[in-house]
Amino acid sequence: MELTAIYHRPESEYAYLYKDKTMHIRIRTKRGDIESINLHYGDPFIFIEERYEAIKEMTKVTSDALFDYWQSEITVGYARLQYLFELKDNNQGQSILYGDKGCVENTLENLHYEGNGFKIPYIHEIDACQVPDWVADTVWYQIFPERFANGNPVISPEGVLAWDSSIKPKTSDFFGGDLQGIIDHLDYLQDLGITGLYLCPIFESPSNHKYNTTDYFEIDRHFGDKKTFRKLVEEAHRRGMKIMLDAVFNHIGDQAPQWQDVLKHGEDSIYKDWFHIQDFPVVKENLVNKRELSYHTFAFESYMPKLNTANPQVRDYLLSVATYWIEEFDIDAWRLDVANEVDHQFWRDFRKAVLAKKPDLYILGEVWHTSQPWLNGDEFHAVMNYPLSDSIKDYFLRGIKKPHQFIDEINSQSMYYRQQISEVMFNLLDSHDTERILATAKGDSQLVKSALACLFLQRGTPCFYYGTELELDGGPDPDCRRAMPWERVSDSNEMLNFMKKLIQLRKDVSDIIQHGTYSLKEIKPDVLSLEWNHDGQNLRAIFNQSTENYLVDRDSVALASHCQELEQQLVILPKGFVIQ
């Protein structure tokens, strides 16, 4: 038995309150090493001969390249918990106990010894990771407002380009997209099946991307005004759609009055402590090396000076921004840009402030890596799930991962977070920061469909980038921000119809995916089976990434792509899939 591989941590993703009085208890062991695990558990103040009130055999829920992961769901009657793991190996029948004192011999004396057990002294519901109920059933659509639709040409910037999706935009180009353009196409989005709109920044800024904010309290004049935005929110809500705005609180634009005051008055500026300034005078021009900047910025970009969110004045200012758009316009969510570069205390204060105004507001952080420190119930509800995105694209689109590598990655990621967090993770494949998936797939729409189908069958809340349903192409930023190809919308558009069916399927099976158990395995070389089971309901998808045809039963097919029908069977062609 490999003792060094055994791992558990109380009050974490390995032991947490899920819902009501239901606890999830997990443990990690070396892959293939352990035959069975019994969980001994009970209230520490109920004294019985065996110390623990109950025993439950744990279930091996998944495995990755190195480890097996086991889980038990238990009900706690008195909000207190003490527990101990009894592990038996696969080889010599060795049995040990594992608890707060580490691994000890499996004897009655060690089982009864109080100090060996892990303890959760009291399970406070207020400390649990609570998430908004509505998010798990939402299908998101990300909009880059400047490129979605021009609904009011009168307010467009000077020198806008013709609305042409074939144009590869430069960083300084404007096309005239605005809020009215989004309002004009809400019926299109509703027909598509969208229930959540994620808008890239809409506040005053000189750029087309708006990630260098000048004034957080004003709608950019080229996008519209507050009256137009209020109408957008109201019309979206009337159609059952939520609105998520983008908060850029890590840094501000260099045209903002606070930074301009620093440039003008230097050390005498009342805003000098709003930023991370290393030396005065502040110098940003004619630098050979950006690292010689005398102040901290986002990614060494001089026009995005970093805000000092530990400063009480900065904190209060930004929190007033966050609550203003909730109170005045009833937005439903905040997406937090560069969230991992802002201090944790600010995000704790942010959570308290915004949830006090709207308890079911969704808080989404932009973090591109594993994110446990931000997902403990006191900061974000979820993050943008780029690890999942990379895994799906590496396997389906880039073809650089073997099936076993893809399976190991997906299985490992399923254990990153508490289940309620996983249910509201923001799952995406591309965005304004990445090349479009059609470009990643080198123009192969069938590979894009397979990747999207896989994404929509993952636990979490799926999102896709505007224009994906119309096969909008584009390389890395800024090419991923082309104008929306509205001329392609028609009843005969194959990709558009596919996305409508996929979205509807996801809504139909959401409960199975969010609350069920899953299995992902390779059933033939480069043929994967993904299965979900919940309360007697089953969902199965088969992805054929091989170079040969694969036969499946034709009965109960919910969605098929790149297949041929036989009398009793479906032939899944290479790059195809079937969801049953």
Side-chain angles (χ1 to χ4, degrees), residues 198 211 246-247 251 298 334-341 347 364-369 371 374 380 382-384 386 431-433:
Y198 155 37
Y211 283 96
D246 208 332
H251 51 272
F298 170 67
W334 277 114
R335 182 262 189 187
L336 310 172
D337 188 63
V338 201
N340 55 342
E341 295 188 23
W347 290 134
L364 174 68
E366 183 203 13
V367 182
W368 288 56
H369 47 80
S371 308
W374 292 270
F380 312 151
V383 296
M384 301 179 79
Y386 280 105
S431 71
H432 65 289
D433 285 323

Side-chain angles (χ1 to χ4, degrees), residues 78 80 260-261 320 552 557:
Y78 299 98
R80 295 181 296 259
Q260 287 294 310
D261 192 86
S320 69
V552 296
V557 173

Side-chain angles (χ1 to χ4, degrees), residues 59-75:
T59 300
K60 182 163 65 176
V61 290
T62 195
S63 303
D64 60 24
L66 298 177
F67 303 111
D68 291 329
Y69 300 87
W70 309 71
Q71 179 170 308
S72 280
E73 187 173 272
I74 60 175
T75 301

